[in-house]
């Protein structure tokens, strides 16, 4: 292997997908008491994380980023073997994971002169970050050079979008993402916000008063995006992301594919579970889709 692809745990690829694509993951941490933190997936599974939230609706977990030492432990063996690394991190507007990776890379370059570690701010997160990481792996496997891979990743990352909805406002309020007054009004009216992520920032994209309608509006946001940009959906990779309810995700994915079939040739889409890094802010019922332009 000419070079190694690494990502922080925000990519939400899961153990199997990461292993199949020879991607190494540096996990985030999650805590339910604010003191004892466990590594996501390695020490606490994503399903276990959501189950604990569902069983304890007034318990609000917190996440913590990988530190410099976490990255050093992963980077060091590759540097020792002379294997270059491309490390893709969650948007720096959401987390300091990118900074931890950059600082670790600088330490490695002092320990191993000539070591090549390129740290990329993906400008995205969760399952969309996973798509970007998979595009990097596809390019590596297709024979792209290290430099070509980095250059192409920088080109496509700005095309990434996440359109999603959540089960309620309480986790956004608790995390300070929306004001308490708006959160109280949302809870009283049963409002479910629609949210778009692009270029590392989140934007409100509407509201709905029912779960079914909010998911349908997410699907409409995807159609609207391609209508307004004029981009060809066939040149994009798509993924469905969900929190706790897999069966709901299957139904959403199928409805999205039905909609896409009306204006594209997209017929397949993977389903990935949104991890704790984002789940602590959304609660157990985020659902939506991520899309990014294909690199290859």
């Amino acid at each position: 292997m000419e070079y190694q692809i690494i990502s922080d745990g925000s990519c939400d690829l899961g153990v199997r997908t990461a292993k199949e694509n020879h991607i190494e993951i540096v996990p985030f941490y999650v805590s339910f008491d604010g003191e004892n933190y466990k590594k996501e997936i390695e020490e606490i599974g994503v399903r276990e994380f959501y189950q604990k939230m569902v069983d304890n609706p007034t318990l609000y977990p917190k996440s913590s980023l990988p530190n410099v030492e976490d990255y050093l432990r992963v980077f060091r063996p590759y540097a020792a073997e002379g294997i270059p690394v491309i490390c893709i991190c969650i948007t720096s507007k959401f987390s300091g994971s990118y900074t931890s990776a950059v600082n670790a890379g600088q330490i490695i370059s002092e320990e191993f002169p000539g070591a090549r570690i390129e740290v990329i701010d993906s400008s995205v997160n969760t399952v969309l970050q996973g798509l970007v990481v998979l595009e990097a792996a596809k390019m590596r496997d297709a024979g792209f050079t290290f430099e070509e891979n980095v250059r192409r990743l920088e080109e496509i990352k700005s095309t990434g979008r996440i359109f999603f909805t959540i089960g309620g406002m309480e986790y956004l309020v608790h995390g300070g993402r929306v004001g308490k007054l708006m959160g109280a009004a949302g809870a009283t009216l049963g409002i479910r916000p629609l949210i778009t992520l692009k270029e590392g920032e989140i934007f409100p994209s509407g509201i709905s008063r029912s779960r079914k309608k909010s998911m349908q509006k997410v699907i409409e946001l995807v159609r609207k995006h391609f209508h307004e940009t004029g981009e060809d959906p066939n040149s994009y990779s798509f993924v469905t992301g969900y929190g706790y309810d897999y069966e709901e995700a299957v139904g959403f994915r199928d409805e999205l594919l039905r909609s896409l079939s009306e204006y594209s040739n997209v017929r397949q889409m993977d389903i990935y579970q949104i991890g704790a890094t984002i789940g602590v802010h959304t609660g157990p019922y985020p659902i939506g889709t991520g899309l990014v332009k294909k690199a290859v």
Side-chain angles (χ1 to χ4, degrees):
M1 189 162 49
E2 184 182 346
Y3 51 90
Q4 176 66 37
I5 305 297
I6 294 173
S7 175
D8 63 32
S10 170
C11 68
D12 295 336
L13 285 175
V15 174
R16 180 179 175 181
T17 300
K19 185 175 181 180
E20 288 175 348
N21 290 276
H22 305 289
I23 297 163
E24 186 151 0
I25 305 297
V26 183
F28 271 71
Y29 296 82
V30 64
S31 172
F32 279 89
D33 60 13
E35 296 181 4
N36 300 298
Y37 282 84
K38 295 182 179 181
K39 288 184 178 181
E40 185 182 13
I41 296 179
E42 291 184 15
E43 297 174 340
I44 180 171
V46 179
R47 180 67 184 184
E48 180 185 356
F49 162 76
Y50 280 117
Q51 191 64 58
K52 197 160 186 175
M53 279 205 290
V54 170
D55 293 342
N56 303 275
T58 61
L59 191 61
Y60 295 96
K62 296 180 180 180
S63 63
S64 181
L65 54 83
N67 58 40
V68 173
E69 187 59 37
D70 291 324
Y71 279 107
L72 286 174
R73 281 195 291 267
V74 176
F75 289 168
R76 196 171 274 123
Y78 294 107
E81 294 183 28
I83 300 173
V85 164
I86 296 175
C87 180
I88 303 167
C89 297
I90 182 177
T91 169
S92 58
K93 295 178 181 179
F94 280 18
S95 169
S97 177
Y98 169 79
T99 300
S100 291
V102 169
N103 290 338
Q106 292 172 346
I107 293 171
I108 290 294
S109 67
E110 295 175 1
E111 292 182 9
F112 301 91
R116 302 180 70 189
I117 298 177
E118 184 74 28
V119 181
I120 295 176
D121 179 345
S122 69
S123 298
V124 296
N125 63 0
T126 189
V127 295
L128 174 54
Q129 182 181 336
L131 286 183
V132 173
V133 173
L134 286 175
E135 290 299 315
K138 290 176 185 177
M139 286 191 283
R140 177 200 61 201
D141 298 344
F144 281 57
T145 66
F146 184 92
E147 294 80 7
E148 289 170 338
N149 199 318
V150 170
R151 184 167 58 251
R152 184 63 176 144
L153 286 175
E154 292 292 347
E155 291 172 351
I156 68 169
K157 71 181 188 181
S158 64
T159 69
R161 296 288 186 276
I162 296 176
F163 302 105
F164 73 104
T165 187
I166 57 179
M169 305 280 281
E170 59 271 24
Y171 287 87
L172 292 178
V173 173
H174 189 270
R177 299 290 176 174
V178 299
K180 290 184 178 180
L181 183 61
M182 183 181 294
T188 301
L189 298 172
I191 288 175
R192 292 163 175 80
L194 306 174
I195 302 168
T196 296
L197 181 142
K198 60 181 180 179
E199 297 180 3
E201 297 189 49
I202 58 174
F203 300 89
S205 297
I207 58 174
S208 178
R209 289 193 180 181
S210 80
R211 180 69 165 177
K212 185 175 181 180
K213 287 183 178 179
S214 66
M215 290 191 290
Q216 187 56 47
K217 285 186 176 182
V218 169
I219 293 171
E220 292 169 5
L221 285 173
V222 176
R223 183 189 292 265
K224 181 181 178 182
H225 170 72
F226 286 106
H227 176 74
E228 292 180 345
T229 63
E231 291 280 352
D232 179 9
N234 298 304
S235 66
Y236 277 70
S237 292
F238 295 82
V239 66
T240 287
Y242 78 103
Y244 180 72
D245 193 336
Y246 178 75
E247 293 304 319
E248 182 182 59
V250 172
F252 172 84
R253 187 272 312 274
D254 292 347
E255 286 295 324
L256 177 55
L257 284 174
R258 272 192 282 274
S259 175
L260 282 166
S261 71
E262 297 174 4
Y263 57 98
S264 77
N265 295 321
V266 178
R267 298 293 183 271
Q268 294 183 326
M269 189 182 305
D270 288 332
I271 299 174
Y272 295 151
Q273 191 168 32
I274 295 168
T277 308
I278 302 304
V280 296
H281 301 293
T282 64
Y285 299 107
I287 193 164
T289 186
L291 54 98
V292 70
K293 199 161 192 176
K294 296 175 183 175
V296 181

